[in-house]
Amino acid sequence: MGSQALRGILTSVEATAKKGRLPICVFDLDSTLFSTAPRNLAILQEFIEEHRGAHPHLSDIGKRIGLEDMGWNVYQDLQRFGVEDARLLERLKGFWFERFFTDDYLSHDTPVPGAAEFVLACHAKGALIYYLTGRHVGGMEIGTVRSLKSRGFPFWRGRCVLHLKPSFEMNDRAFKDDAVSDIRSYNGEVVATFENEPGNANMFSRAFPQAMHVLLTTIASPEAEKPSAQLVLTDDFQLR
């Protein structure tokens, strides 16, 4: 169903443009277009290297842990390998927090399979590419632009918008609620939205009922809403 829906979106983008309307495709970034597992793993490996003497098995864990072990947060990832030292895990939380939301570590992210090619195809058929991300201004904008460009996504070529949170403290859901009015200001036609968080995907479905709403089944919050039955589920962007 996923690849069929993706092909249908490309057809709809082209048809909308031919009608003289501006087709809009809205893409979240983390865990939607990009996998953050490599970013988390790099931070965790760095932590293990700096704290290997703090736990008898930490060095061995560092050799065994991989991308497939990365889940919602690195503390639970380490716990699954038997680390229960509360003080060490608390140190890891601070270590991770200081690095994850910074420009430098964004370079570790890798595109979800087929993501760059699909976004390029949408753009080539006339879509406005609206990157809507919870990454914040004042710490992640340079790395975000660098990642989009280096990973092959359209950016400096017209009909591309990057909408970041104005501050780190702003609630992600509230930010995306506010972004709906900005998307509407382009006076186009939202053809499709792409999200990994069911709550945000459900919100887009209510805001733009005529569009197709795609939920990436990658990683979502443990407290995530139940996804609406109207959402299209896929784990990548490959057209196959």
Side-chain angles (χ1 to χ4, degrees):
M1 180 62 179
S3 60
Q4 181 181 344
L6 294 174
R7 286 192 294 270
I9 289 168
L10 293 176
T11 300
S12 295
V13 166
E14 189 170 30
T16 302
K18 284 181 177 177
K19 291 188 301 184
R21 295 277 289 161
L22 175 66
I24 301 174
C25 292
V26 181
F27 294 92
D28 180 46
L29 296 188
D30 289 345
S31 300
T32 298
L33 291 183
F34 288 98
S35 170
T36 60
R39 195 191 327 172
N40 277 323
L41 181 60
I43 294 170
L44 184 54
Q45 292 284 17
E46 189 176 326
F47 178 84
I48 288 173
E49 181 63 25
E50 291 188 18
H51 297 80
R52 55 189 174 184
H55 189 278
H57 304 299
L58 210 52
S59 292
D60 181 58
I61 291 170
K63 296 173 185 175
R64 293 188 289 124
I65 200 165
L67 290 175
E68 66 281 2
D69 300 306
M70 297 296 99
W72 173 248
N73 65 57
V74 292
Y75 342 120
Q76 291 178 348
D77 299 336
L78 204 54
Q79 282 180 312
R80 284 194 293 273
F81 277 78
V83 177
E84 296 293 345
D85 185 329
R87 184 177 295 179
L88 185 63
L89 292 171
E90 196 61 32
R91 266 192 245 164
L92 173 57
K93 288 182 182 181
F95 189 93
W96 174 87
F97 189 85
E98 290 172 358
R99 289 158 178 78
F100 187 81
F101 303 102
T102 63
D103 284 320
D104 292 342
Y105 284 82
L106 293 177
S107 61
H108 293 284
D109 293 354
T110 54
V112 169
E117 294 81 2
F118 180 76
V119 178
L120 281 167
C122 288
H123 187 267
K125 290 184 180 295
L128 167 70
I129 304 302
Y130 196 103
Y131 299 113
L132 178 60
T133 174
R135 299 176 183 186
H136 65 283
V137 173
M140 302 184 82
E141 65 270 50
I142 294 173
T144 297
V145 173
R146 188 185 298 133
S147 291
L148 288 168
K149 285 298 298 170
S150 65
R151 298 299 188 177
F153 291 92
F155 194 73
W156 299 119
R157 53 180 78 182
R159 285 185 286 106
C160 293
V161 175
L162 175 59
H163 190 165
L164 299 100
K165 285 169 65 174
S167 68
F168 177 81
E169 292 77 18
M170 187 176 188
N171 176 270
D172 186 58
R173 182 64 179 276
F175 163 64
K176 293 198 174 181
D177 283 338
D178 290 348
V180 167
S181 61
D182 185 60
I183 294 168
R184 287 177 173 148
S185 73
Y186 287 86
N187 295 315
E189 185 174 320
V190 177
V191 172
T193 70
F194 301 82
E195 259 284 352
N196 67 295
E197 286 291 347
N200 290 331
N202 291 343
M203 179 268 292
F204 283 132
S205 181
R206 293 188 296 270
F208 306 108
Q210 80 287 354
M212 184 172 291
H213 304 281
V214 180
L215 180 67
L216 272 291
T217 55
T218 50
I219 292 178
S221 165
E223 296 84 27
E225 288 180 22
K226 181 179 179 180
S228 164
Q230 282 73 43
L231 303 182
V232 175
L233 308 184
T234 185
D235 57 3
D236 60 36
F237 289 88
Q238 297 188 96
L239 296 175
R240 296 179 178 83

CSV table of all heavy atoms in Angstrom, one decimal, residues 16 43 74 96 110 129 166 171 173 208 233:
chain,number,residue,atom,x,y,z
A,16,THR,N,-2.3,18.5,-10.0
A,16,THR,CA,-2.6,19.8,-9.3
A,16,THR,C,-1.9,21.0,-10.0
A,16,THR,O,-2.5,22.0,-10.2
A,16,THR,CB,-2.2,19.7,-7.8
A,16,THR,OG1,-3.0,18.7,-7.2
A,16,THR,CG2,-2.6,21.0,-7.1
A,43,ILE,N,26.4,9.5,19.7
A,43,ILE,CA,26.5,10.1,21.0
A,43,ILE,C,26.7,9.0,22.1
A,43,ILE,O,27.5,9.2,23.0
A,43,ILE,CB,25.1,10.8,21.3
A,43,ILE,CG1,25.0,12.0,20.3
A,43,ILE,CG2,25.1,11.3,22.7
A,43,ILE,CD1,23.7,12.7,20.4
A,74,VAL,N,18.3,6.7,24.3
A,74,VAL,CA,19.5,6.0,24.5
A,74,VAL,C,19.6,5.4,25.9
A,74,VAL,O,20.4,4.4,26.1
A,74,VAL,CB,20.8,6.9,24.2
A,74,VAL,CG1,20.8,7.2,22.7
A,74,VAL,CG2,20.7,8.1,25.0
A,96,TRP,N,23.7,13.2,26.4
A,96,TRP,CA,22.9,13.1,25.2
A,96,TRP,C,22.2,14.5,24.9
A,96,TRP,O,22.2,15.0,23.8
A,96,TRP,CB,21.9,12.0,25.3
A,96,TRP,CG,20.9,11.9,24.2
A,96,TRP,CD1,21.1,11.2,23.0
A,96,TRP,CD2,19.6,12.6,24.1
A,96,TRP,NE1,20.0,11.4,22.2
A,96,TRP,CE2,19.1,12.2,22.9
A,96,TRP,CE3,18.9,13.4,25.0
A,96,TRP,CZ2,17.8,12.7,22.4
A,96,TRP,CZ3,17.6,13.8,24.5
A,96,TRP,CH2,17.1,13.5,23.3
A,110,THR,N,21.0,9.8,8.6
A,110,THR,CA,21.0,9.2,7.2
A,110,THR,C,19.6,9.2,6.7
A,110,THR,O,18.6,9.1,7.5
A,110,THR,CB,21.5,7.8,7.2
A,110,THR,OG1,20.8,7.0,8.1
A,110,THR,CG2,23.0,7.8,7.5
A,129,ILE,N,7.9,22.1,-1.6
A,129,ILE,CA,8.4,21.2,-0.6
A,129,ILE,C,8.5,22.0,0.7
A,129,ILE,O,9.3,23.0,0.8
A,129,ILE,CB,9.8,20.6,-1.0
A,129,ILE,CG1,9.7,20.0,-2.3
A,129,ILE,CG2,10.3,19.7,0.1
A,129,ILE,CD1,8.7,18.8,-2.4
A,166,PRO,N,10.7,28.4,16.4
A,166,PRO,CA,11.4,29.7,16.8
A,166,PRO,C,12.3,29.6,18.0
A,166,PRO,O,13.2,30.4,18.2
A,166,PRO,CB,10.3,30.6,16.9
A,166,PRO,CG,9.1,29.8,17.2
A,166,PRO,CD,9.3,28.5,16.5
A,171,ASN,N,6.6,24.0,22.5
A,171,ASN,CA,6.0,22.6,22.4
A,171,ASN,C,5.9,22.2,20.9
A,171,ASN,O,5.4,23.0,20.1
A,171,ASN,CB,4.7,22.6,23.1
A,171,ASN,CG,4.0,21.2,22.9
A,171,ASN,OD1,3.3,21.0,22.0
A,171,ASN,ND2,4.3,20.3,23.9
A,173,ARG,N,4.1,20.0,19.4
A,173,ARG,CA,2.7,19.9,18.8
A,173,ARG,C,2.1,21.3,18.6
A,173,ARG,O,1.4,21.6,17.6
A,173,ARG,CB,1.8,19.1,19.8
A,173,ARG,CG,0.4,18.9,19.3
A,173,ARG,CD,0.4,18.1,18.0
A,173,ARG,NE,-1.0,17.9,17.6
A,173,ARG,CZ,-1.8,16.9,18.0
A,173,ARG,NH1,-1.3,16.1,18.9
A,173,ARG,NH2,-3.0,16.8,17.6
A,208,PHE,N,-6.2,19.3,6.8
A,208,PHE,CA,-6.3,19.2,5.3
A,208,PHE,C,-6.9,17.9,4.9
A,208,PHE,O,-6.2,17.0,4.4
A,208,PHE,CB,-4.8,19.3,4.8
A,208,PHE,CG,-4.1,20.5,5.3
A,208,PHE,CD1,-3.0,20.4,6.2
A,208,PHE,CD2,-4.4,21.8,4.8
A,208,PHE,CE1,-2.3,21.5,6.6
A,208,PHE,CE2,-3.7,22.9,5.3
A,208,PHE,CZ,-2.6,22.7,6.2
A,233,LEU,N,0.2,4.0,5.9
A,233,LEU,CA,1.4,3.6,6.7
A,233,LEU,C,2.5,3.1,5.7
A,233,LEU,O,2.2,2.4,4.8
A,233,LEU,CB,1.0,2.5,7.6
A,233,LEU,CG,-0.1,2.8,8.6
A,233,LEU,CD1,-0.3,1.6,9.6
A,233,LEU,CD2,0.0,4.1,9.4
